[in-house]
Every structure is written in C-alpha cells, then in structure tokens.
Amino acid sequence: MLLVVLVVLAVLALLVGVHWYVWRRLVRDTTPGPGRPRRLGTAAVVLLPLLSVGALVAGRAGAPFRLQQVLAWPGYLWLATLLYLTLALLVGEAVRPILLRVTARRAAARSSSAREPEPLADAPAAAAPRPAEPSSGGGTPQPGTFVGGGASTAPPTADTGAATTMQQGGPADGTAPVSTAAVAARPAGTTAGDGTGTSVDAPPDGAVAAGVAPAGKTVSRRVFVSRIVGGAAAAAAVGTVGYGTYGVLRGPRVKRVTVPLAKLARSAHGFRIAVVSDIHLGPILGRAHSQRIVDTINSTQPDLVAVVGDLVDGSVADLGPAAEPLAQLTARHGAYFVTGNHEYFSGADAWVDHVRELGLTPLRNDRVALDGFDLAGVDDVAGVYEGQGPDFGKALGDRDRSRAAVLLAHQPVVIDDAVRHGVDLQLSGHTHGGQLWPGNYLADLANPTVAGLERYGDTQLYVSRGAGAWGPPVRVGAPSDITVVELASRRT
C-alpha cells in the first residue's frame, strides 16, 4: 500500500512539474507582465489537468456515463497535447539561445546603420565661417555675425537668431555647435541633442528584429523569442495530436501476415484468422467505431475472427449498445473472444455473457479442435486478482502435441508459458504498439514484443497494435490495425 501511495505521489509531482514548465514557457515568458492574457493562460493550465484527472477517475468512480463523455474529450486530448507540447518546448530550449543571438546581432547592425549620417551629395562645401572684416566705412562687425559662402552679414533678428545660433548646448555642456545646414542633413527619424542621433518617437529599423514594437509598446527581445518558440511548439503539438486523432477515428487498416507452422496440417494451409485487439469501446469510441471495425473485418472474408481482449472500458449497461455491431461478424469458423485486463476493470463475467449473446465464443482457459490445428484461449493475467487468470494446464495440458496449436492470449508476457506448453503460434495485443511515440520505448521495457511477429524457441508470437486507443483517442507512430494472419503448412 505504501508503494502505491509513493507511486501516486511521484506521478502527481511529475504532472505538477510539467504543467509548471508549460505555464512558464507558454504563459509567463510570452507575456510582458500581469494582465488578462496571463490570467487566461494560467486559468487554462490549471483547468485542463483537472479535466484530465476527472476523465481518468470518472469511470472507476461510477460517474454517470454522460459525465464521463463530457470529461473524456478535453481531458484525454489535453494529456496527448501536453506530451507533445512538452517535447516540442524541450526542443525549443536548444533553439532559444540561437534566436536570441541572431536577433541581438541583427538589432545591433540595423541600429548602427541608422545612426550613420547620410552625406549631402549635391551640397557645396561650406567655407569655414570667419569674422566679418570692417567695412569701408570703418564700421566694426557686430557681435555674433559670421561671414562665409556669400552669406549675408546682417546681424540676427529675433526671427532668425534661433537658426544661426548653436542648438541645445554649447561650450558649457561639451557639445559641438550645430548649424542650420547640419540640422537639415540629419537622417529622418533623428532629433538634435540626444547625443546618439536616435529618436525617442521613431525607433530604428533594428527594433523590429529585436522584438520592439513602435509607439511606445515595448516588447523585450526575450519575450519576442519566447513567443516564436512557444507558438511553434503549440502548433507542432496541436498538429501532431490532430493527425493522430484522425487516424483513430478513421478506423484501423488491414495488415496481412503469413505464418508458416511446421505441424500445421495441409488441410489448414491458407487458413486466415482476422486478429483484432484493444477495440476499447468507451466514452469516446462508441458504436460507430465498432461498426467500422466489423465492416473492415468482414471485408477481408476471414475463416475465423479472434478478438484478443480489451474490448471495452465500461459496463455492459453503458456500452452494451456500442458492442452490438459485433453480432454482424461473419466467418466460416466463427468468432472467438478472450478477456483482456480492461474487461476485469469493467465486469469481466458480465461481458463474457454479453459477447456470447452477440454470437462470439469465449475461450476461458479452453480450446476447440479445428480442421488442421487446435485453437486455445486463456484468461488475462489481470484475472488473478479476481481468482481467475490464465490456466495453461486446463487449456493445453491434455492435447495431442503432434497437432499445431494457436493460442489466443491478450498479453504477450505469457509467451514463456506458451513455449512450455508447446504452442506453435500465440496471438496477442495489449501493447497498442506504444500508441503515442515515444511510448513504444516504455512498452518495449514491459513486453517481450511490442508489435509484429517474433520467434521464441519453437513458438512464434504475433502482437497486434490494436484497433482502438485507450485514454486519448490518439495514435502517433503506432497506427491501429486489424491483422489477417494466414497460416501456411510446411507439409505441402
């Protein structure tokens, strides 16, 4: 019990830390200060994980099915979005300093270019001013009167004195005198007397690259870069989740695999088994989902249908109507069903009875003899907690081992038991192929095979990625499938 509590606390701490990181990068770093945008972003970062927790616990807590549906879509989709948003922001950490350096250099270059005065190409060189010489009348020059370039030597008047005297300074403040011609020669957007030639009212061109808005609405370069990185991360995450959702709602695609079996009778050569697992009917995937799967299976015209667990995420009362299309499955040798771990979360015995009513044959630690091979099925290992679970001795113990045996078992981890009991081919699901990349690496740690066909001694194991999705109705890097396994005899 203590271990469970510690695991729950660790998961909660991880979720809190990830959400704080997302809030910091997407909300705090992209807003210049407190205000409505930051308040709205903070509210979203608080509300969305609460919806996710609600979606996860609503079914187990016995909440009304309608409430489960309301919570499921935003709650589960946020979990998938959070995953790829976090990954994209982590990638952005490598890009952020590069963008900061690039924008800083560009701003500095443009600002420096804006400060350089442009020479007047057509203006004649102005002669150095000199004091006016006494006129022939013996008069003396008036104070403040200069002569140069043919200019008038008349003393300044009240209207013209401001144009001919020094502007905003003189010898007292250390600035050079500025003539009217120099003022006219300044580049547009500069003012006199600022010491740099930079206008307060009109920013230089480099301000745009630095992330500075005109008209006094200043945005720091760091905020500007954070908006670029955050916006790109959000777009990547939403695009990834959107495409992954489309793949699930579109329905699974058909895969075809040929498996040669040494002991398979020649009469069973070419026998085709449609393997479907992890349909996961629930508050998101309902009757339309199961109808798509049934139609796809029937289009392959299989000899036998094998439903290898995790059909549902809910009770018969809530999901019975969603499972009804399974009654339309058609195959020459019928359809068979074994339990998965999620059936034990949803009332396994009730679901076994219901699928039997729909025309499927449950194999609960049992087997049937078909023409050319034996077909066996075992309960899922999760049934151990309810006094059930797999019983290989009951399912396979007294059979004729000269005949080929095909085993239906939800989880690949029972492959060692299958090898010990002389199974030729085990058909499983459970892993979803990882469902959400990079989840396939975690699934690989917990399962001998994540997806596809592999050999363990004299036993071959085929693992389907599944036809549905658990939690987020999203698949990335692990497309859903229905696999048609064609058995091939080596005796032909």
Side-chain angles (χ1 to χ4, degrees):
M1 183 62 181
L2 178 60
L3 179 61
V4 174
V5 173
L6 292 176
V7 170
V8 171
L9 291 177
V11 171
L12 289 176
L14 176 63
L15 287 176
V16 170
V18 169
H19 280 87
W20 176 85
Y21 172 71
V22 169
W23 173 83
R24 176 186 173 188
R25 285 309 190 197
L26 280 189
V27 180
R28 192 195 72 175
D29 290 357
T30 60
T31 53
R36 186 176 182 183
R38 181 173 289 188
R39 288 195 298 271
L40 291 175
T42 302
V45 172
V46 171
L47 177 62
L48 288 170
L50 293 179
L51 291 174
S52 298
V53 172
L56 288 168
V57 304
R60 305 283 180 88
F65 189 65
R66 181 57 182 166
L67 177 60
Q68 296 179 41
Q69 291 176 309
V70 170
L71 293 173
W73 275 104
Y76 284 133
L77 284 177
W78 170 244
L79 288 177
T81 304
L82 177 66
L83 170 63
Y84 293 107
L85 189 56
T86 304
L87 293 176
L89 287 172
L90 290 175
V91 173
E93 298 297 342
V95 179
R96 186 185 305 273
I98 299 174
L99 291 178
L100 286 171
R101 285 196 295 269
V102 169
T103 55
R105 290 174 181 174
R106 185 174 298 178
R110 292 188 178 181
S111 180
S112 175
S113 175
R115 291 191 185 115
E116 295 177 0
E118 298 179 2
L120 297 177
D122 298 330
R130 56 185 177 83
E133 297 179 357
S135 64
S136 57
T140 59
Q142 298 296 323
T145 303
F146 294 88
V147 178
S152 170
T153 60
T157 64
D159 296 331
T160 63
T164 58
T165 58
M166 295 178 289
Q167 299 184 9
Q168 297 188 15
D173 62 2
T175 60
V178 182
S179 66
T180 304
V183 173
R186 279 197 183 94
T190 62
T191 62
D194 63 354
T196 63
T198 303
S199 171
V200 174
D201 297 326
D205 294 340
V208 176
V212 180
K217 296 181 180 179
T218 303
V219 176
S220 71
R221 185 168 61 251
R222 191 170 297 277
V223 171
F224 178 72
V225 169
S226 293
R227 289 178 177 177
I228 293 177
V229 174
V238 171
T240 300
V241 172
Y243 183 76
T245 303
Y246 165 75
V248 171
L249 299 182
R250 176 194 60 195
R253 291 295 183 256
V254 175
K255 290 180 60 179
R256 298 181 183 273
V257 177
T258 299
V259 181
L261 299 179
K263 294 185 288 185
L264 184 70
R266 284 180 293 180
S267 60
H269 180 76
F271 192 97
R272 290 173 299 139
I273 304 174
V275 181
V276 59
S277 73
D278 302 281
I279 296 175
H280 284 289
L281 299 178
I284 292 179
L285 302 176
R287 186 184 182 102
H289 177 61
S290 58
Q291 187 65 62
R292 282 191 296 267
I293 291 172
V294 168
D295 292 343
T296 302
I297 292 174
N298 288 342
S299 70
T300 66
Q301 299 181 333
D303 297 304
L304 183 146
V305 177
V307 182
V308 289
D310 278 8
L311 171 64
V312 292
D313 285 306
S315 66
V316 173
D318 291 333
L319 298 174
E324 286 178 358
L326 296 176
Q328 304 169 21
L329 287 170
T330 58
R332 189 159 57 98
H333 293 276
Y336 292 84
F337 171 80
V338 293
T339 58
N341 56 309
H342 282 251
E343 271 72 56
Y344 290 96
F345 305 149
S346 308
D349 292 335
W351 274 110
V352 167
D353 292 339
H354 190 65
V355 298
R356 185 180 286 113
E357 293 171 0
L358 295 175
L360 284 75
T361 301
L363 291 176
R364 305 199 68 180
N365 300 319
D366 201 359
R367 74 175 183 274
V368 293
L370 300 175
D371 183 17
F373 67 97
D374 293 333
L375 179 70
V378 293
D379 286 347
D380 186 69
V381 294
V384 171
Y385 300 103
E386 297 187 10
Q388 300 176 16
D391 187 336
F392 287 88
K394 183 179 178 182
L396 298 163
D398 58 349
R399 74 178 193 88
D400 181 2
R401 290 205 175 195
S402 66
R403 286 169 54 87
V406 176
L407 173 68
L408 309 183
H410 177 62
Q411 297 196 39
V413 293
V414 300
I415 183 62
D416 292 335
D417 293 294
V419 172
R420 282 194 295 269
H421 286 83
V423 171
D424 297 276
L425 173 63
Q426 175 180 321
L427 301 175
S428 298
H430 182 66
T431 68
H432 296 211
Q435 184 168 330
L436 297 171
W437 182 92
N440 55 304
Y441 297 110
L442 295 177
D444 189 45
L445 296 176
N447 296 276
T449 298
V450 175
L453 182 67
E454 291 186 355
R455 176 177 288 276
Y456 295 84
D458 293 330
T459 303
Q460 297 182 76
L461 169 64
Y462 181 79
V463 180
S464 168
R465 291 191 179 97
W470 179 79
V474 183
R475 282 179 172 265
V476 177
S480 57
D481 67 62
I482 294 169
T483 304
V484 177
V485 175
E486 182 173 336
L487 305 181
S489 173
R490 291 181 176 174
R491 298 180 180 179
T492 57

